């Protein structure tokens, strides 16, 4: 193995791993698809391993690639930290950056991260908008977005930086009153917190083989913060992000064996404004720090 390979090869490897294709990696890194392909081939040659199988559906990582990913991400984190240190010391890393995210992410997940960013980038002011509107970026109403769905607009660049895990939770007072469910079917005998018009929870129950109707839910809302507060208030058992549940020790997990889906979280920016030094500094900081609080 040649010991002197450059960081750009590892960067291209991680982008291809995250995006699942050379085209997706090229979009994320603002490079050409042949360049990413050459980087992957060069890294495979230098390491003496095969990292991806080319299939009709894109790139399929090999077992070796998955083993190397952890070390590569450690390198990525170090590179981002170095870039932030340099950027923070350079002229121009100042001004306002407008970030948009869903309500729970904006209200619960981001504030501690932004407090640390304030220390790292003291000349950057943040405007935070709680919204799921893709048009926030397309209309330049925001600079950076964190979303649970990947945008498909060609002018936006998205990077998957982690996944939000979910769990079934209830307040201790509710469980003292109603008891603790031991098996998934027990949920049907409990008071549940559900959605109003959104049908994702109904679909989740149906996928587990328990078709339920809206009337099974004692409290219904599509407002995610109101949903969380309803669980905290003891209105019933609800399904919330684990990072939210960790903020209240009186809200405890039930039925940890439930097969709940993970929600990918995408860091998105408009392609043209990634050249902005202040936006790039904030983008890199969030990419490095948000996975640690999910």
């Amino acid at each position: 193995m040649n010991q002197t390979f450059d960081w750009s090869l590892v960067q291209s490897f991680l982008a291809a791993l995250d995006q699942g294709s050379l085209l997706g990696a090229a979009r994320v890194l603002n490079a050409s698809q042949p360049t990413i392909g050459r980087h992957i081939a060069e890294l495979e040659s230098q390491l003496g391993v095969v990292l991806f199988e080319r299939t009709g559906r894109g790139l399929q990582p090999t077992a070796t690639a998955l083993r190397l990913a952890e070390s590569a991400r450690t390198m990525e984190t170090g590179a981002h930290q170095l870039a932030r240190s340099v950027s923070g010391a350079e002229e121009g890393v100042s001004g306002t950056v407008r970030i948009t995210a869903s309500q729970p992410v904006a209200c619960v997940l981001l504030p501690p991260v932004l407090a640390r960013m304030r220390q790292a980038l003291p000349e950057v002011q943040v405007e935070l908008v709680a919204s799921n509107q893709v048009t926030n970026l397309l209309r330049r109403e925001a600079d950076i977005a964190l979303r649970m769905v990947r945008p498909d607009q060609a002018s936006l660049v998205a990077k998957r930086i982690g996944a939000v895990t979910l769990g079934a939770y209830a307040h201790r007072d509710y469980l003292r009153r109603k008891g603790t469910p031991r098996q998934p079917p027990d949920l049907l005998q409990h008071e549940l917190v559900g959605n109003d018009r959104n049908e994702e929870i109904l679909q989740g129950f149906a996928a587990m083989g328990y078709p339920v109707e809206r009337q099974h839910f004692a409290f219904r809302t599509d407002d995610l913060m109101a949903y969380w507060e309803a669980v905290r208030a003891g209105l019933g058992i609800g399904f919330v992000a684990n990072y939210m549940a960790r903020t209240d020790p009186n809200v405890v997990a039930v039925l940890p064996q439930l097969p709940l889906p993970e929600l990918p979280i995408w860091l998105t920016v408009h392609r043209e404004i990634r050249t902005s030094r202040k936006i790039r500094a904030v983008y890199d900081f969030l990419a490095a720090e948000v996975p640690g609080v999910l």
Side-chain angles (χ1 to χ4, degrees):
M1 170 184 163
N2 185 341
Q3 298 295 326
T4 58
F5 62 91
D6 62 51
W7 158 243
S8 63
L9 304 183
V10 180
Q11 192 176 28
S12 295
F13 161 63
L14 287 175
L17 184 67
D18 291 337
Q19 302 299 319
S21 70
L22 295 178
L23 179 60
R27 287 175 175 169
V28 167
L29 296 179
N30 198 23
S32 69
Q33 186 171 343
T35 296
I36 301 299
R38 286 195 299 271
H39 284 179
I40 298 298
E42 178 65 16
L43 186 58
E44 289 180 324
S45 175
Q46 292 187 10
L47 296 176
V49 298
V50 175
L51 296 174
F52 295 101
E53 300 290 345
R54 278 68 171 176
T55 70
R57 293 180 296 177
L59 297 179
Q60 182 67 35
T62 64
T64 300
L66 296 177
R67 286 197 303 271
L68 293 175
E70 183 176 353
S71 296
R73 294 196 192 282
T74 299
M75 292 181 64
E76 181 183 44
T77 298
H80 286 159
Q81 289 173 342
L82 177 62
R84 289 200 303 273
S85 298
V86 173
S87 296
E90 290 179 351
E91 257 187 283
V93 185
S94 63
T96 299
V97 175
R98 193 170 177 86
I99 301 170
T100 181
S102 66
Q103 268 189 318
V105 171
C107 296
V108 179
L109 187 145
L110 276 182
V113 174
L114 296 178
R116 292 193 293 275
M117 191 175 79
R118 183 65 181 166
Q119 301 300 312
L121 301 170
E123 299 303 317
V124 173
Q125 297 88 48
V126 171
E127 294 176 348
L128 182 59
V129 182
S131 171
N132 290 319
Q133 295 295 321
V134 174
T135 52
N136 283 342
L137 290 188
L138 294 180
R139 297 177 183 173
R140 307 299 176 84
E141 296 172 359
D143 301 314
I144 296 173
L146 287 98
R147 299 201 179 95
M148 303 305 159
V149 293
R150 182 180 183 179
D152 55 8
Q153 290 81 4
S155 58
L156 300 181
V157 178
K159 177 181 181 180
R160 178 171 172 163
I161 59 173
V164 174
T165 56
L166 305 175
Y169 288 91
H171 194 278
R172 295 180 189 276
D173 290 344
Y174 170 84
L175 296 176
R176 279 195 289 267
R177 295 195 314 269
K178 300 292 186 176
T180 301
R182 302 300 178 187
Q183 300 294 331
D186 297 344
L187 287 173
L188 303 182
Q189 309 304 318
H190 276 265
E191 296 175 5
L192 301 175
V193 179
N195 295 139
D196 181 15
R197 297 181 180 180
N198 188 310
E199 296 187 350
E200 289 180 354
I201 295 179
L202 293 177
Q203 293 167 355
F205 270 96
M208 290 188 293
Y210 308 115
V212 298
E213 303 293 335
R214 294 174 71 252
Q215 291 72 21
H216 279 89
F217 299 92
F219 178 85
R220 300 186 290 270
T221 180
D222 288 335
D223 185 296
L224 296 177
M225 292 307 296
Y227 188 102
W228 166 234
E229 292 299 331
V231 174
R232 292 184 68 201
L235 279 171
I237 298 174
F239 308 92
V240 299
N242 290 325
Y243 73 79
M244 294 184 71
R246 289 196 295 266
T247 65
D248 189 338
N250 287 314
V251 174
V252 298
V254 298
L255 295 175
Q257 73 272 29
L258 274 179
L260 299 179
E262 294 184 346
L263 304 176
I265 187 164
W266 296 89
L267 185 62
T268 308
V269 67
H270 198 283
R271 183 184 302 277
E272 294 177 12
I273 58 178
R274 285 188 71 181
T275 56
S276 165
R277 189 171 296 165
K278 65 181 180 182
I279 294 174
R280 183 73 213 199
V282 172
Y283 180 93
D284 287 343
F285 189 94
L286 294 177
E289 295 291 325
V290 168
V293 296
L294 291 174

